[in-house]
């Protein structure tokens, strides 16, 4: 633990001209007294760390000193590719590993490029969760993430409707979609791949090597990853299949040119794409009639309301009647007032 902290301290000082005791304490998550002791230990070990007093003081390395402790461990290299998603790293428990990887990468850069990480971070930031919701990491995410990184089978129990189901899973990959975490895994009993919402897991038991009776048993607890499995491709296919599976009703709608442009933003993008692709030519007024797959009449009512006067529902009749009733009420609200 202390050795890792000392290495991090050297890398921090190598990447900056100087750091105060308070800054180092904050980065290393220790007290300033511990920083003083660590600096002394490094100095005694031959690392030229020295402290300067005064307003411009702080801890420094003798000019030109560079450590060779910049090699990335496998876990650090893998985490480095997720560095653009800091919230995901925190929720999976990989923040410290990624931080160490970034420090090592910075230490390997030429002095003229030392400001590159900060320059990039000030020009691009990814905020994954959706608006108007407080992101909350599922309680079992860290356990599942460890199993994913380690190719370790898990015994999982999850909620399906009102009941609970237990499965042995080979956890292939994690997906963060609009602030919600999903696990893409292969079911050991059937060999099929499925997708699970992680917040629906009730219990997950990752098999630990120390619990294995012998080497043969330990090997059984790991799975051989199918190298042809493509996580982004699998997720895209599953997402589109799910979107289509819930579109069980349809509505016929006339759209103005503005309505055509707004349709993909008001309804399911897959449904909008299919409807517009199958539509005929606009009529003499420039309106296009589409047959739109929808989840239900209630959902269609909510979604199409957003298009306002740029859409006219033709069928089903009950949905058209709802919009006609709304039009009457809106006329009453916005019509001319006496006095």
């Amino acid at each position: 633990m202390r050795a890792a902290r000392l290495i991090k301290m050297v890398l921090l000082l190598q990447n900056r001209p100087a750091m105060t005791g308070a800054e180092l304490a904050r980065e290393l998550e220790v007290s300033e007294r511990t920083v003083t002791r660590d600096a002394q230990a490094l100095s005694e070990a031959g690392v030229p760390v020295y402290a300067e007093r005064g307003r411009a003081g702080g801890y420094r390395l003798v000019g030109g000193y560079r450590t060779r402790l910049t090699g990335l461990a496998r876990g650090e290299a893998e985490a480095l590719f997720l560095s653009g998603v800091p919230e995901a790293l925190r929720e999976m428990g990989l923040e410290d590993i990624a931080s160490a990887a970034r420090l090592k990468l910075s230490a390997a850069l030429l002095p003229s490029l030392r400001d590159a990480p900060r320059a990039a971070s000030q020009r691009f930031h990814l905020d994954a969760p959706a608006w108007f919701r407080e992101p909350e990491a599922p309680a079992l995410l860290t356990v599942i993430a460890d199993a994913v990184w380690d190719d370790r089978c898990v015994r999982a129990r999850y909620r399906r409707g009102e009941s609970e189901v237990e499965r042995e899973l080979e956890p292939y990959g994690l997906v963060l979609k609009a602030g919600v975490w999903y696990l893409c895994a292969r079911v050991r009993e059937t060999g099929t791949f499925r997708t699970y919402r992680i917040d629906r897991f009730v219990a997950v038991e990752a098999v630990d090597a120390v619990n294995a009776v012998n080497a043969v048993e330990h090997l059984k607890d790991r799975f051989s990853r199918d190298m042809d499995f493509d996580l982004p491709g699998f997720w895209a296919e599953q997402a589109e299949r799910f979107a289509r599976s819930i579109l069980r009703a349809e509505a016929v709608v006339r759209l103005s040119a503005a309505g055509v442009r707004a349709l993909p933003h008001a309804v399911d993008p897959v449904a909008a794409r299919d409807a517009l692709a199958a539509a005929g030519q606009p009529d003499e007024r420039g309106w296009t009639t589409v047959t739109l797959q929808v989840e239900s009449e209630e959902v269609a009512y909510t979604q199409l309301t957003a298009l306002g006067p740029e859409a006219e529902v033709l069928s089903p009749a009950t949905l058209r009647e709802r919009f006609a009733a709304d039009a009457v009420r809106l006329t009453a609200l916005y019509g001319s007032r006496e006095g």
Side-chain angles (χ1 to χ4, degrees):
M1 180 70 177
R2 191 190 186 199
R5 190 175 71 242
L6 292 174
I7 292 172
K8 185 174 182 179
M9 184 174 179
V10 173
L11 292 173
L12 284 168
L13 293 174
Q14 184 173 310
N15 289 324
R16 306 182 194 180
M19 294 183 70
T20 66
E23 289 172 337
L24 282 169
R26 186 167 56 252
E27 290 280 355
L28 300 172
E29 298 181 347
V30 296
S31 66
E32 291 188 45
R33 182 174 297 180
T34 299
V35 169
T36 301
R37 288 198 296 265
D38 285 351
Q40 183 177 351
L42 286 170
S43 180
E44 292 173 353
V47 178
V49 178
Y50 69 98
E52 288 185 340
R53 298 183 180 276
R55 292 184 58 186
Y59 291 91
R60 304 171 185 270
L61 288 175
V62 172
Y65 178 84
R66 294 181 62 82
T67 176
R68 296 179 180 274
L69 296 172
T70 54
L72 292 179
R74 180 176 181 83
E76 293 170 341
E78 291 171 338
L80 189 60
F81 287 96
L82 295 173
S83 293
V85 197
E87 187 66 30
L89 286 168
R90 277 193 295 273
E91 294 182 359
M92 287 191 292
L94 298 174
E95 186 177 22
D96 289 344
I97 294 176
S99 176
R102 287 192 295 269
L103 278 172
K104 290 182 178 181
L105 181 61
S106 297
L109 295 175
L110 294 172
S112 60
L113 301 177
R114 200 66 52 76
D115 65 338
R118 185 181 184 280
S121 68
Q122 293 303 313
R123 287 164 173 78
F124 178 77
H125 175 68
L126 176 63
D127 187 5
W131 284 102
F132 311 119
R133 62 173 295 165
E134 191 69 28
E136 183 177 347
L140 296 171
L141 176 60
T142 303
V143 175
I144 295 173
D146 287 344
V148 169
W149 286 111
D150 205 27
D151 290 343
R152 187 176 297 285
C153 301
V154 297
R155 287 183 287 274
R157 195 167 74 250
Y158 66 97
R159 295 189 305 274
R160 189 168 67 183
E162 299 299 320
S163 60
E164 292 184 4
V165 179
E166 186 169 322
R167 291 282 187 272
E168 285 196 10
L169 303 175
E170 297 175 355
Y172 266 67
L174 293 166
V175 175
L176 178 61
K177 170 72 170 179
V180 180
W181 283 95
Y182 296 86
L183 171 68
C184 299
R186 182 162 58 186
V187 182
R188 298 195 81 183
E189 294 90 337
T190 63
T192 57
F193 286 93
R194 295 191 59 183
T195 302
Y196 302 86
R197 271 187 64 141
I198 290 184
D199 58 9
R200 292 179 183 167
F201 281 103
V202 177
V204 175
E205 180 185 5
V207 181
D208 197 333
V210 299
N211 294 328
V213 175
N214 51 53
V216 174
E217 182 180 339
H218 173 50
L219 289 174
K220 290 180 181 178
D221 296 328
R222 294 178 180 273
F223 63 92
S224 297
R225 181 175 287 267
D226 181 353
M227 301 310 295
D228 291 330
F229 177 79
D230 173 27
L231 180 61
F234 174 77
W235 174 257
E237 180 182 332
Q238 291 291 302
E240 182 162 338
R241 183 180 302 172
F242 171 75
R244 293 184 186 281
S245 71
I246 63 174
L247 303 176
R248 302 186 180 93
E250 73 177 30
V252 180
V253 185
R254 289 179 70 239
L255 300 167
S256 68
V260 168
R261 292 192 297 270
L263 186 67
H265 306 289
V267 304
D268 180 86
V270 173
R273 184 185 65 206
D274 291 349
L276 293 173
Q281 294 298 313
D283 62 20
E284 64 279 2
R285 295 177 54 199
W287 286 60
T288 303
T289 299
V290 300
T291 299
L292 183 68
Q293 299 299 312
V294 295
E295 185 175 345
S296 66
E297 184 174 315
E298 189 65 35
V299 171
Y301 171 75
T302 301
Q303 293 175 334
L304 294 174
T305 296
L307 297 179
E310 307 304 328
E312 177 193 1
V313 175
L314 302 180
S315 68
T318 51
L319 182 58
R320 180 179 175 84
E321 290 166 3
R322 292 184 68 173
F323 278 97
D326 283 354
V328 172
R329 293 175 60 196
L330 286 170
T331 300
L333 286 172
Y334 291 98
S336 59
R337 293 185 177 183
E338 295 183 359

